[in-house]
């Protein structure tokens, strides 16, 4: 049995709270069960040097975990003086995922930075971060439209992510920490709401996985993302 | 008039939420008006090298701000590769303040780390952090007593902090951001609940301040801290 | 037409030169067309702290590019003072891939470090690095067996990797730089020689990719890896 | 009895040597007993980015200790690769203290940097540094007036600092190292020569301090600063 | 007897392979016996800030060793986060040596960077690097002449380097690792092909050396450089 | 004519003040004309890891410049977060030079660290640092002998250093800044008082130098060092 008697294809309860903090153009608290991430979107009227003068915008992301968001305390990355490889990998993934749903030419020469800060971790922090950031990004863009800065909407659709994996020989959707730490295979899938994929990252932690297992996991991911898109739509409708 | 029609000696509404996140031994969300700080207390069965073998414990603190906790986005300190002077100053202040109410010999050869992470800033983040950390620390220590690790309580009393300052020629208590940014003098006072002081840090931002002004500010700080001790007691009583 | 008139499913010529430098326990120059990577395996009779006393070994990897291995010169990472996110991502991938074919318990309390240094880059450096490292690792392990340090072979099979992608709407195998830089989707697949997968990392650079496209790419990757395994076997047979 | 039979309210002999090194616009060796600090003032015709175009100048400070200025050797901060929290705290304090006596608008769009390097430490290095820097700053400004760069004097008065504290239950002025290391309360007071305060930083090292104790310490600080102002005036008169 | 039965004044076999990698403007593999260094020359149409607007060019160098170019693995400098003192010393030496044969005014406002990466070390890596870099530099400059960027040749001659030393009381030329590690005196000499010297760096590892010993070493260095110049000329003639 | 009407072979006035600061086991202010360096020797009862258990001691050195020891202010290395290549080169040179006159076996398993801090620079800071460090080292060792820690003297002789160079076609001894900055060739020579050499580092800044010029410079260095040894002997005799 899965923890909390979840079905194999059932994601944890998804909760998306908009306008969570007051300064950011978009600010969302996203919860995948006990995993809680604050996602803020900051708009700046500037682009990185490599894009200057190209009439295109940029979307980037940064990721961090509060030191005691985890079971045992992790060292603070600012005190260590550098970000870990895992942090860099995740923030690059978040940024690529969001750029998949933004028409950067329509955005114009400005940047949107998504800051994803994990305040409580229980597995799936990167998929929660992508899911919440999408809503924060849309809030920030809508603000630009409302105040007349943007005349056209650069958002091409929703993007969401879920982890799937093989745990004790069973394929399951949206792994929480106790599942994640004993998974044989772990896969993160990022999808757009037209059913296509932006990222697929599957890793065999123990035994390699077969083609059939991969297909099963992709199917579970599709089912999970559909529920997550619905949670995003509900939040945006409020 | 002060923002929100506050009286000169009136702190903002203080809210202390215990057990805010689930992993830490103590976890508090403290709010001084719109300033919101997560304070967690982590117990580790080890002490820094300079204390090894002395049968004494240690209490330390780290402080950080989410990049978009502020009006405009600040660069993430882990990405910059170092903590600012301001961050170091504040975390040293928090740690000293809390050590003032802990009998380190009774604590025994173990450490408690307070992580103070600002999720929304509106002035007074360091005083909120000290105030919230005190409650998180007490929760962590009570846990050690409850599970039999500690036989005696090392906590000697409550510690709380408030900022006071001179704004437009008037002495006021618990400055919020708009006041803080135009204050002529800014002072942080850390007190114990027996009315004595642990830290006094007064800074003239513009004109130097006189002995009389200093006395006025100390008086306001004392009044403010009394209300904050009451908020701590209420939270701990729940 | 592809550059060099390659068929869509045809990898570049693979060349594996063993014993390339003289000090390392395993040392391989691997070439995927014009991409050239030196892979060395270093055996050390120690394990990282988190594995001490567990009677298990460790396999890790580091990756670097000579500053002028690329079209325009890149800044030297040692001069910049830190490794980029891309570097960290790649070296973590290489290490995970190799651990998939090593029984760490049989290896015993020792470490093998794979250093992968790109001396000329033309796309696919990480897949070449995994492929060459596998051979260097086997040479190092065989040395341990030959000198009596290991009584049993910890190597469970071969591991190889290839990139596949969608370029101008066509799915192709083993992208070189000009293809890679214009690919719509880019995927790295790491396989073991029993046909199973260790890592799948697919990224939509432009449009998201469909389930059918993913299946096509996986099929091309399988074909490519088969040829690469053959090149590894040939090299090891010499 | 205090070391060297000093009275409770008596600072150590203060010695200020101007023109100590030859390159700087202002260069002072300041001695508070055995504490010796070289303070140099450097004028640069530029301001930090955040002040550009505002017709205002800037005064900043840096602080360092020679590795063997102390009883046992400290690690060199340039070798460690970062400045400690204590160093940053002190250099921020020195800079704020000096800005209190400079009219930055009169200074015009230029910067003055005070470098305070401790060559021998015996307690009170930060208060000596503030005191010596004030004289170095005035020398540098007088140079600007003499060569016609400045038509009006931006200096508003003298600034000096002294430490006071409670040692063995007695309030004393200008603590030397043996006193400082056993003080129950330690306070640094920065004053202008009109008797007002720029900074008050009091810290309870052991027991918290009472309002009455604070008043006593402030009184001692005032007496001490008066003698230090006299030493500054004597030095400037030569 | 010396290893490989070399005569006291005989350098190891020198091999210079031009056009070793394909992207750089100049690319050389230089071998002094088992010491192998890749030297690439990169031309950039910019100069460091301190030379801007002076109608002069710049030649600089960077040096690195692959982690397992040596007998036991060295930590990767990019992972450590800084270059060692030895690395900095060597790359400054290489750059100064090459600037000795370039007329920077004729080069014009552009930079040439020599990257010297040791892939196998057996003593004398810095002298090999200088020798190989000279050829890579000439190839890069000839390219600039050929494509019309330069109308006049800024190269004033050849520069080469050799190590000499006292080993077991005997003066020898071009020390390999086993000699180098037991040398009493070690000296690197950089010469131009008109017989003059650019750098002489002699170090007593054990006993100080006498004036007569110094003269002997200089004589051996002269003989060695003559053979190395011949190897450079042969390579350039191909 | 040379500045201050010095003869070509005449070093600047050398002044060595012992017991300059009070905490260090050896503490010297050395002056070569206007170049002033504080050299302290610190004894620690420990050796670096690579020497543990070998019954041998170690001598090391660190070098720094106060930011305004120079004509224009240099950035503080602790603020930049790293030591420059020049700094590392110099401190390695100082340490090697001093080890040449210490019998490390007689010193026993302890370390002596020489800290050389330039308070005023006017050319020749590294040669002054070596010269002054030798005296500080001897003072520290004599202290160890006096207090019975050492039964035998590990000091084998004096070591001193001087710069020589070719300025406007003339060979001169002990260059000051205005000479140094226009020298065609610059050479630092470190000698022991038996007339032998520990280090010779000659660099052509402009034209390469001939064998004859090298011999002239060595002769000048020998003459200069003799006077410096005399200054060391005089200081030690006081």
């Amino acid at each position: 049995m899965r923890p909390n008697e979840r079905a194999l294809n059932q994601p944890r309860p998804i909760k998306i709270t908009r306008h969570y903090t007051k300064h950011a153009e978009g600010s969302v608290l996203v919860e995948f069960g006990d995993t809680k991430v604050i996602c803020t979107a900051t708009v700046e009227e500037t682009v990185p040097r490599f894009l200057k003068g190209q009439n295109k915008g940029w979307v980037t992301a940064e990721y961090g975990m509060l030191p005691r968001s985890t079971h045992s305390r992790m060292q603070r990355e600012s005190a260590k003086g550098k970000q870990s490889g895992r942090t860099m990998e995740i923030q690059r993934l978040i940024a690529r995922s969001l750029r998949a749903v933004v028409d950067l030419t329509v955005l114009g020469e400005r940047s949107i930075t998504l800051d994803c800060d994990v305040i409580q971790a229980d597995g799936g922090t990167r998929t929660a971060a992508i899911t919440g950031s999408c809503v924060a990004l849309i809030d920030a863009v809508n603000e630009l439209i409302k105040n007349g800065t943007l005349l056209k909407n650069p958002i091409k659709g929703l993007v969401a992510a879920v982890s799937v994996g093989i745990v004790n020989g069973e394929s399951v959707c949206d792994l929480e920490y106790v599942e994640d730490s004993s998974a044989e295979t772990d896969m993160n899938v990022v999808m757009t709401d037209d059913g296509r994929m932006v990222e697929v990252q599957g890793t065999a932690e123990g035994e390699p996985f077969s083609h059939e297992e991969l297909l099963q996991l992709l199917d579970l991911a599709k089912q999970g993302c559909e529920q997550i898109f619905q949670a995003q739509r509900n939040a945006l409708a409020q």
Side-chain angles (χ1 to χ4, degrees), chain A:
Chain A
M1 263 303 82
R2 297 186 72 186
N4 300 309
E5 313 197 346
R6 275 202 280 153
L8 298 178
N9 69 348
Q10 187 187 352
R12 289 170 287 180
I14 311 291
K15 198 166 150 196
I16 295 172
T17 307
R18 287 163 67 207
H19 312 305
Y20 186 67
T21 56
K22 72 172 188 179
H23 299 304
E25 285 74 44
S27 174
V28 159
L29 174 71
V30 61
E31 302 173 61
F32 276 32
D34 275 348
T35 289
K36 302 184 186 192
V37 186
I38 300 176
C39 306
T40 60
T42 296
V43 179
E44 286 165 311
E45 294 295 316
T46 177
V47 287
R49 190 184 304 240
F50 70 90
L51 277 181
K52 289 249 196 281
Q54 297 184 34
N55 280 317
K56 284 176 59 175
W58 192 239
V59 173
T60 187
E62 288 189 5
Y63 171 93
M65 298 181 89
L66 297 200
R68 195 57 198 281
S69 58
T70 44
H71 283 79
S72 56
R73 186 176 183 272
M74 300 185 316
Q75 206 190 337
R76 192 175 285 265
E77 291 190 332
S78 61
K80 259 196 306 191
K82 63 174 178 177
Q83 296 179 301
S84 70
R86 177 185 173 275
T87 292
M88 291 215 205
E89 214 171 289
I90 292 176
Q91 63 195 16
R92 285 156 55 92
L93 171 65
I94 298 169
R96 283 198 311 270
S97 298
L98 291 170
R99 284 196 295 270
V101 292
V102 179
D103 185 329
L104 296 173
T105 309
V106 174
L107 180 58
E109 218 159 314
R110 60 181 56 85
S111 303
I112 302 182
T113 301
L114 280 308
D115 283 292
C116 302
D117 286 277
V118 178
I119 62 176
Q120 191 171 277
D122 191 32
T125 62
R126 78 189 72 186
T127 53
I130 291 166
T131 300
S133 289
C134 176
V135 176
L137 173 70
I138 288 171
D139 275 342
V141 163
N142 283 343
E143 193 63 32
L144 291 175
I145 292 169
K146 208 170 117 192
N147 67 26
T149 308
L150 283 180
L151 300 177
K152 207 179 136 192
N153 193 340
I155 301 294
K156 300 189 286 186
L158 294 174
V159 65
V162 77
S163 74
V164 288
I166 305 177
V167 182
N168 299 325
E170 298 263 42
S171 295
V172 296
C173 180
D174 188 24
L175 286 65
E176 55 197 78
Y177 179 74
V178 290
E179 296 177 315
D180 195 29
S181 57
S182 67
E184 290 113 52
T185 289
D186 178 23
M187 189 158 87
N188 292 293
V189 179
V190 185
M191 301 190 80
T192 48
D193 59 352
D194 60 3
R196 291 186 296 166
M197 284 165 279
V198 171
E199 288 272 344
V200 173
Q201 296 196 341
T203 299
E205 304 287 347
E207 282 297 288
F209 51 90
S210 67
H211 190 71
E212 291 66 39
E213 288 169 325
L214 176 59
L215 293 184
Q216 266 178 34
L217 292 174
L218 287 172
D219 183 51
L220 280 177
K222 199 169 186 342
Q223 293 179 48
C225 282
E226 269 157 26
Q227 296 194 39
I228 298 171
F229 289 128
Q230 197 50 52
Q232 290 177 322
R233 283 187 208 105
N234 292 346
L236 287 164
Q238 276 160 8

